[in-house]
Amino acid sequence: MTGSDPRSPDPSSSRPPTALIRVWARSHFTLAPAPSRRWPVALQAALSMFLPVALFTLLGQPAIGVMAASGAFTAIYLVGAAPLVRLRLLPVVGVAILLCAAIGAVLAPYPVAAAIGLVGVSLATAALHYGFRLGPPGPVFFVLVYGLATHVTGSSGGRRIVDPLLFLGALAVGALTAYVIAVAAFLIARARGVVAPPPRTQIARRPRLDRDARALLLRVAVVAIAGTLLSVLLVDPQRAYWTVCAGIAVIGVNVGRRVAFIRGSQRFLGTVVGAGLFALLGSLPIPVIVLPFLLAGLQFTVEILVVRNYALALVFITPLVLFIITSTAGAGGGIPWDLILERIVDTLIGAVLGAATGIFHPRAALRRS
């Protein structure tokens, strides 16, 4: 999700250990001020989630609507760029998300190839993301959509769980919906004479990996390779994408050793509480017509909170993704306790990896010199 400028120094580098512990503890519960108005972005993201899910639900195909919801992640990219730049580049983001999903769908029946593809997609999307300086939320959602595709379109009993073309078509509808909403929001703002804030993200014309970008890419490489190997050898190859996503989300676009540790602990705590929220919601008799409102509400809340408290945002991100996974894959009734426990374990591994890779950043004193 959204993070700080990757080129800002680690603000806590010169503080004594006791002060750092207090900063770490408060970071899990303190709401930071938002850098700008957040509700327009949150509303776009929520509508991008709501409209395709609601449309297909009304057509009697709620599972397809949830597949389309994966494409709605397009809406949360480039929010810090100049409006016209965002409109020009957002289709590229949507196509990239669709391409990652397509690669995942092709490799889904082959566990070894899917694991290699996970590492490759992680490295390629991270290199392009950091090279072009796209800003928050980082490459995590490209990797997540790849993983969702391998999970949803995988094989069971020699047959695909979900037809790959159906999944990719639904995802394309979601991405297109997100872009149409972005265009509509821009036109409405211009008609009302609303002045856009100065861009916080300057997109590079050509990809270039400076020292900070190389450190971030190295961290992604370590997380992708180590997370995939640990999952394949010790846990479950089909769960590798969640471990890698957790680690890449911790990395984000943030430079700094201590911020890596803080985001790692926030990731784990937020996921545990979010898994509890998912279990609570899953125990309720939620009518299928309510699902679009539930997903949109979770997405809106995430986008409001993610720039203010990462751990709190994870409380709502986790059930959002778990609802997408369970609804798309056609999970049976009841609370999927096995899935919840698996995601907690995978998140712990990924968060530890992501936090540990913070050592690849030079110390703040060296950075300033």
Side-chain angles (χ1 to χ4, degrees):
M1 305 330 156
T2 303
S4 60
D5 188 333
R7 286 149 186 80
S8 59
D10 189 343
S12 59
S13 57
S14 60
R15 298 178 181 177
T18 54
L20 293 175
I21 293 174
R22 289 196 297 270
V23 169
W24 170 79
R26 287 199 302 266
S27 70
H28 294 74
F29 309 102
T30 303
L31 288 176
S36 62
R37 291 190 314 159
R38 194 65 187 174
W39 72 263
V41 175
L43 183 59
Q44 288 184 46
L47 286 174
S48 300
M49 187 76 63
F50 174 81
L51 290 179
V53 180
L55 173 62
F56 284 106
T57 299
L58 292 175
L59 294 175
Q61 299 291 337
I64 298 178
V66 178
M67 295 179 207
S70 303
F73 293 134
T74 304
I76 63 178
Y77 275 91
L78 303 174
V79 296
L84 288 176
V85 172
R86 181 172 188 252
L87 292 186
R88 188 171 69 249
L89 296 181
L90 207 56
V92 179
V93 172
V95 170
I97 287 177
L98 186 61
L99 178 60
C100 291
I103 296 172
V106 170
L107 300 180
Y110 316 104
V112 174
I116 295 173
L118 176 60
V119 175
V121 167
S122 299
L123 291 177
T125 56
L128 292 171
H129 195 286
Y130 298 138
F132 281 105
R133 303 181 186 180
L134 301 184
V140 60
F141 284 101
F142 299 102
V143 182
L144 176 61
V145 170
Y146 170 87
L148 286 174
T150 61
H151 180 87
V152 171
T153 68
S155 298
S156 178
R159 299 183 61 182
R160 293 285 190 133
I161 301 172
V162 172
D163 185 284
L165 293 179
L166 177 63
F167 177 77
L168 294 175
L171 190 146
V173 170
L176 179 61
T177 301
Y179 183 66
V180 170
I181 290 173
V183 172
F186 169 76
L187 294 176
I188 292 172
R190 189 170 66 173
R192 295 177 57 197
V194 177
V195 179
R200 303 186 307 276
T201 302
Q202 298 291 341
I203 311 299
R205 292 182 177 273
R206 295 181 179 84
R208 185 178 70 87
L209 294 172
D210 59 16
R211 182 174 61 177
D212 288 338
R214 290 195 298 271
L216 290 169
L217 181 58
L218 175 60
R219 293 178 64 187
V220 170
V222 171
V223 164
I225 295 172
T228 300
L229 285 176
L230 287 173
S231 296
V232 169
L233 297 177
L234 303 178
V235 187
D236 182 351
Q238 293 184 340
R239 293 161 48 188
Y241 79 94
W242 191 280
T243 300
V244 173
C245 281
I248 293 177
V250 168
I251 296 168
V253 294
N254 297 275
V255 168
R257 297 185 174 192
R258 292 188 177 95
V259 73
F261 171 73
I262 290 175
R263 283 177 64 90
S265 63
Q266 288 179 335
R267 181 82 193 184
F268 180 68
L269 177 62
T271 298
V272 171
V273 179
L277 177 59
F278 172 71
L280 175 62
L281 293 172
S283 67
L284 301 176
I286 301 175
V288 67
I289 195 64
V290 176
L291 186 61
F293 297 93
L294 176 61
L295 296 182
L298 289 171
Q299 182 68 60
F300 183 87
T301 305
V302 167
E303 294 307 314
I304 289 291
L305 293 175
V306 72
V307 296
R308 306 193 66 187
N309 186 298
Y310 185 60
L312 188 55
L314 260 296
V315 173
F316 300 93
I317 295 168
T318 302
L320 172 65
V321 177
L322 288 178
F323 271 119
I324 290 176
I325 292 174
T326 55
S327 300
T328 302
I335 302 173
W337 292 109
D338 290 345
L339 177 65
I340 292 174
L341 180 59
E342 289 170 0
R343 293 304 176 252
I344 291 175
V345 172
D346 298 340
T347 297
L348 175 60
I349 297 172
V352 169
L353 285 174
T357 59
I359 63 173
F360 293 113
H361 290 299
R363 294 186 181 277
L366 295 177
R367 285 169 49 79
R368 286 193 293 269
S369 65

